[in-house]
């Protein structure tokens, strides 16, 4: 079976990845290799910690993938004689992952107190597809949010998918050594994989089990589950469930997560890009007009018609399009005639198509019924324009944080947005509600009297642009500093 062979090849690849990670961890733990001297001692120590954390992260990711691959192999061999129905598929992207942290005010604002530092990354799983994010390090009291810039793309995903997001973290200490955790994998090998791959896997696990301390241990501290109902064009807040281990562990050894996180989950059905039916098809006109032969294609939940196949091959715009949605009613009127009924502006419109033969008409009818069913299965995402998928790039930044990362609170606008099409811009008088006078340039006393006369609490509220003052902006001449005249 080709699918089973592909899984065995993936397992063999993960074995090689594990071997490389284990060797790197062993080299980093060697006292001869870990000693640093001279002026480059600090830089060498940071590089040493970087290698250990990255190798431990890769080792954990390989363990998770191998566990998923072997479970899938067992399932396929168990259900080998079961007939599986073809189901619609699509792409799912996960991006803009942010998790707020609960530091004490003295820790974050006064930069004192809590000195803990963590290394954090995430695993995103749908079935056997497992992807890891970049490793953020160090995560300390200077950050209000853990922000991942990664974009993860899943392919061949069914509408009833469940995306599991796992958050892993380890507190950075001088001693980054723990015991390995692949024992559960060894107990699930059995006869799921070939003998050659099994020998290599067993030998690899035996060597790792003999090493009691091979590197830092990332703990699973939180999980989240996302489904089709969570898909949206913009980022939204979701629940983040803290694992029991993270809830009971000593407060000094866990990352202060808030219990919620933000992300953008986009879904894009393959039906938008794949034509399910195409060929000769004509639309019967209403009234005594003569029917026109044409070429049609069913794709992106609509039937597009061209004058002929040459116009279709030349990528001309279709001369007519008919939507196929969950409300569409399709039926065969005759052996060669297919009718589609759509409710348009409160009126039921009927479109009749004629195929060259009864067999072609049946193919078109089956394809349309399948499109209607798939439109229903993809749920609420079909009620709007197709979502834009976040494409993975090469923007991963490992172990670098030169400046403070942005917070979710930094994105809250202080002033209401102004339409760029407006001919005038708000003045300083408008923003700070300074009474207009003959002198258009506000003095320093104007700001002092307006901003600080009522104390700090009133200064905050007075600097907010009210909705009623927005309408008066257009009627005043712009005196914005440094604006072009």
């Amino acid at each position: 079976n080709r699918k089973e062979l592909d899984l065995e090849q993936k397992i063999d690849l993960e074995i090689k990845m594990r071997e490389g990670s284990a060797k790197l961890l062993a080299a980093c733990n060697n006292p001869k290799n870990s000693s640093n001297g001279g002026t480059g001692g600090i830089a060498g120590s940071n590089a040493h910690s970087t290698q250990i954390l990255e190798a431990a992260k890769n080792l954990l990711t390989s363990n998770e993938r191998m566990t998923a691959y072997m479970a899938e192999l067992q399932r396929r061999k168990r259900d080998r004689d079961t007939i599986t129905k073809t189901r619609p598929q699509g792409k799912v992207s996960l991006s803009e992952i942010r998790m707020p942290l609960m530091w004490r005010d003295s820790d974050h604002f006064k930069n004192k107190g809590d000195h803990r530092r963590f290394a954090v990354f995430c695993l995103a799983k749908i079935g056997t597809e497992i992807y890891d994010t970049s490793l953020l390090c160090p995560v300390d009291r200077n950050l209000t949010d853990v922000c991942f810039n990664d974009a993860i793309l899943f392919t061949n995903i069914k509408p009833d998918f469940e995306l599991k997001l796992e958050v892993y973290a380890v507190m950075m200490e001088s001693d980054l050594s723990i015991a390995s955790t692949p024992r559960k994998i060894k107990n699930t090998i059995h006869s799921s994989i070939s003998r050659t791959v099994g020998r290599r896997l067993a030998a690899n696990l035996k060597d790792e089990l003999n090493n009691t301390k091979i590197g830092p241990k990332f703990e699973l501290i939180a999980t989240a589950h996302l489904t089709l109902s969570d898909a949206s064009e913009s980022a939204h807040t979701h629940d983040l469930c803290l694992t029991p281990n993270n809830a009971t562990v000593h407060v000094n050894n866990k990352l202060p997560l808030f219990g919620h996180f933000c992300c953008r989950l986009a879904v894009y059905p393959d039906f938008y890009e794949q034509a399910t039916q195409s060929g000769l098809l004509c639309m019967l006109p209403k009234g005594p007009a003569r029917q026109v032969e044409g070429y049609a294609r069913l794709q992106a939940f609509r039937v597009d018609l061209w004058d002929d196949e040459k116009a279709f091959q030349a990528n001309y715009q279709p001369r007519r399009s008919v939507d196929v949605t969950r409300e569409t009613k399709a039926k065969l009127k005759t052996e060669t005639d297919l009718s589609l009924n759509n409710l348009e502006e409160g009126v039921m419109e009927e479109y009749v198509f004629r195929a060259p033969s009864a067999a072609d008409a049946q193919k078109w009818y089956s394809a349309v019924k399948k499109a209607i069913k798939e439109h229903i299965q993809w749920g609420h995402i079909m009620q709007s324009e197709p979502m834009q998928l976040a494409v993975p790039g090469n923007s991963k930044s490992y172990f670098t944080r030169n400046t403070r990362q942005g917070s979710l609170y930094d994105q809250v606008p202080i002033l209401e947005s102004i339409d760029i099409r407006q001919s005038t811009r708000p003045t300083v008088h408008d923003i700070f509600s300074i009474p207009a006078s003959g002198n258009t340039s506000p003095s320093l006393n104007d700001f002092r009297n307006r901003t600080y006369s009522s104390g700090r609490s009133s200064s905050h509220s007075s600097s907010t642009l009210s909705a009623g003052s927005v309408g008066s902006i257009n009627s005043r001449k712009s005196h914005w500093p440094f604006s072009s005249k």
Side-chain angles (χ1 to χ4, degrees):
N1 191 316
R2 175 171 293 183
K3 292 184 177 180
E4 294 181 2
L5 180 60
D6 292 341
L7 280 178
E8 291 190 0
Q9 291 176 347
K10 291 181 178 180
I11 292 176
D12 189 55
L13 175 61
E14 295 303 326
I15 291 175
K16 296 178 181 178
M17 293 291 295
R18 286 167 49 83
E19 292 174 350
S21 299
K23 291 179 180 178
L24 180 57
L25 285 173
C28 292
N29 287 332
N30 190 339
K32 295 181 180 180
N33 297 331
S34 60
S35 59
N36 296 283
T39 58
I42 297 178
S45 178
N46 292 336
H48 177 69
S49 299
T50 297
Q51 292 177 343
I52 294 179
L53 291 169
E54 182 68 15
K57 168 178 170 286
N58 293 337
L59 186 60
L60 187 148
T61 304
S62 295
N63 287 342
E64 295 294 326
R65 286 174 177 165
M66 289 171 59
T67 302
Y69 293 157
M70 288 187 291
E72 180 66 13
L73 270 177
Q74 292 178 350
R75 187 193 65 81
R76 289 181 181 179
K77 290 192 174 184
R78 183 179 62 252
D79 302 336
R80 182 173 296 175
D81 299 331
T82 304
I83 299 176
T84 58
K85 298 181 180 180
T86 57
R87 303 177 63 186
Q89 296 180 339
K91 299 180 181 65
V92 176
S93 70
L94 180 67
S95 59
E96 303 178 27
I97 304 174
R98 294 189 174 191
M99 301 175 188
L101 301 176
M102 291 192 306
W103 302 105
R104 293 174 298 182
D105 55 352
S106 60
D107 297 334
H108 176 70
F109 294 104
K110 298 181 181 179
N111 196 25
K112 65 179 182 179
D114 199 332
H115 61 277
R116 293 174 299 163
R117 298 188 305 159
F118 296 87
V120 186
F121 77 98
C122 296
L123 288 183
K125 304 178 179 180
I126 299 182
T128 57
E129 290 196 52
I130 301 177
Y131 298 99
D132 59 329
T133 66
S134 56
L135 183 61
L136 298 184
C137 171
V139 175
D140 55 21
R141 63 193 179 192
N142 292 319
L143 296 180
T144 59
D145 307 273
V146 178
C147 306
F148 295 93
N149 296 325
D150 306 80
I152 300 174
L153 182 64
F154 298 89
T155 58
N156 302 325
I157 304 302
K158 298 176 176 58
D160 60 347
F161 72 90
E162 182 182 32
L163 189 153
K164 184 178 182 182
L165 183 68
E166 298 179 346
V167 186
Y168 291 87
V170 62
M171 189 170 69
M172 300 177 61
E173 299 175 338
S174 58
D175 183 13
L176 294 177
S177 60
I178 51 90
S180 180
T181 58
R183 296 182 181 273
K184 60 180 181 180
I185 300 178
K186 185 177 181 181
N187 297 328
T188 59
I189 297 178
H190 299 297
S191 59
S192 299
I193 56 180
S194 63
R195 185 174 300 176
T196 303
V197 177
R199 287 199 193 100
R200 293 194 57 191
L201 179 59
N204 181 266
L205 292 177
K206 182 178 179 181
D207 292 340
E208 185 177 341
L209 289 173
N210 290 334
N211 297 327
T212 57
K213 296 181 179 181
I214 62 170
K217 180 182 179 181
F218 282 91
E219 296 285 352
L220 176 63
I221 61 173
T223 59
H225 297 268
L226 302 175
T227 60
L228 179 63
S229 61
D230 299 310
S232 177
E233 187 62 41
S234 58
H236 286 280
T237 304
H238 308 279
D239 292 333
L240 188 65
C241 301
L242 303 183
T243 59
N245 292 336
N246 189 50
T248 58
V249 75
H250 194 271
V251 65
N252 292 330
N253 296 328
K254 68 176 183 178
L255 187 68
L257 294 175
F258 183 67
H260 295 83
F261 79 105
C262 294
C263 73
R264 179 179 180 269
L265 183 69
V267 179
Y268 190 85
D270 290 342
F271 197 88
Y272 281 118
E273 299 176 345
Q274 299 176 359
T276 57
Q277 184 67 26
S278 61
L280 296 177
L281 190 71
C282 63
M283 177 184 290
L284 299 183
K286 298 179 181 179
R290 180 178 61 88
Q291 73 176 41
V292 180
E293 300 294 333
Y295 190 87
R297 179 190 65 186
L298 176 59
Q299 182 179 334
F301 299 99
R302 67 174 183 267
V303 178
D304 297 325
L305 293 101
W306 290 265
D307 293 330
D308 49 37
E309 188 173 0
K310 291 183 179 180
F312 168 74
Q313 296 293 343
N315 293 326
Y316 290 160
Q317 290 294 328
R319 60 182 175 88
R320 190 63 187 272
S321 297
V322 178
D323 293 332
V324 178
T325 65
R326 65 191 66 192
E327 289 84 13
T328 301
K329 307 297 181 182
K331 65 178 180 178
L332 286 172
K333 300 188 68 174
T334 64
E335 291 185 352
T336 58
D337 291 353
L338 169 67
S339 71
L340 300 180
N341 294 272
N342 286 332
L343 186 63
E344 300 176 358
E345 298 181 355
V347 179
M348 186 63 69
E349 296 287 345
E350 182 183 26
Y351 303 93
V352 182
F353 303 88
R354 177 163 294 172
S357 63
D360 291 332
Q362 186 62 42
K363 290 180 181 179
W364 278 102
Y365 177 73
S366 300
V368 170
K369 295 292 289 185
K370 181 180 178 181
I372 295 174
K373 183 178 180 181
E374 184 168 341
H375 196 278
I376 297 174
Q377 290 177 319
W378 285 114
H380 72 283
I381 68 171
M382 306 308 304
Q383 304 298 324
S384 58
E385 294 296 322
M387 296 183 181
Q388 297 293 327
L389 294 175
V391 180
N394 297 324
S395 59
K396 290 186 178 181
S397 179
Y398 296 94
F399 309 101
T400 57
R401 181 166 54 80
N402 297 326
T403 59
R404 176 182 178 273
Q405 288 181 301
S407 169
L408 292 176
Y409 310 105
D410 295 339
Q411 299 184 2
V412 178
I414 299 177
L415 301 177
E416 296 186 14
S417 59
I418 304 300
D419 193 346
I420 60 175
R421 295 173 296 181
Q422 294 179 354
S423 58
T424 60
R425 302 178 63 180
T427 66
V428 176
H429 296 82
D430 295 323
I431 295 177
F432 292 96
S433 301
I434 300 175
S437 60
N439 183 12
T440 59
S441 300
S443 63
L444 181 60
N445 291 329
D446 292 332
F447 286 103
R448 288 176 176 173
N449 296 335
R450 189 63 186 172
T451 306
Y452 298 104
S453 60
S454 301
R456 297 184 62 182
S457 60
S458 62
S459 66
H460 176 74
S461 60
S462 65
S463 63
T464 304
L465 185 63
S466 62
S469 62
V470 175
S472 62
I473 293 176
N474 297 330
S475 61
R476 302 183 182 181
K477 185 178 179 181
S478 175
H479 301 286
W480 191 266
F482 312 108
S483 62
S484 58
K485 297 182 180 180

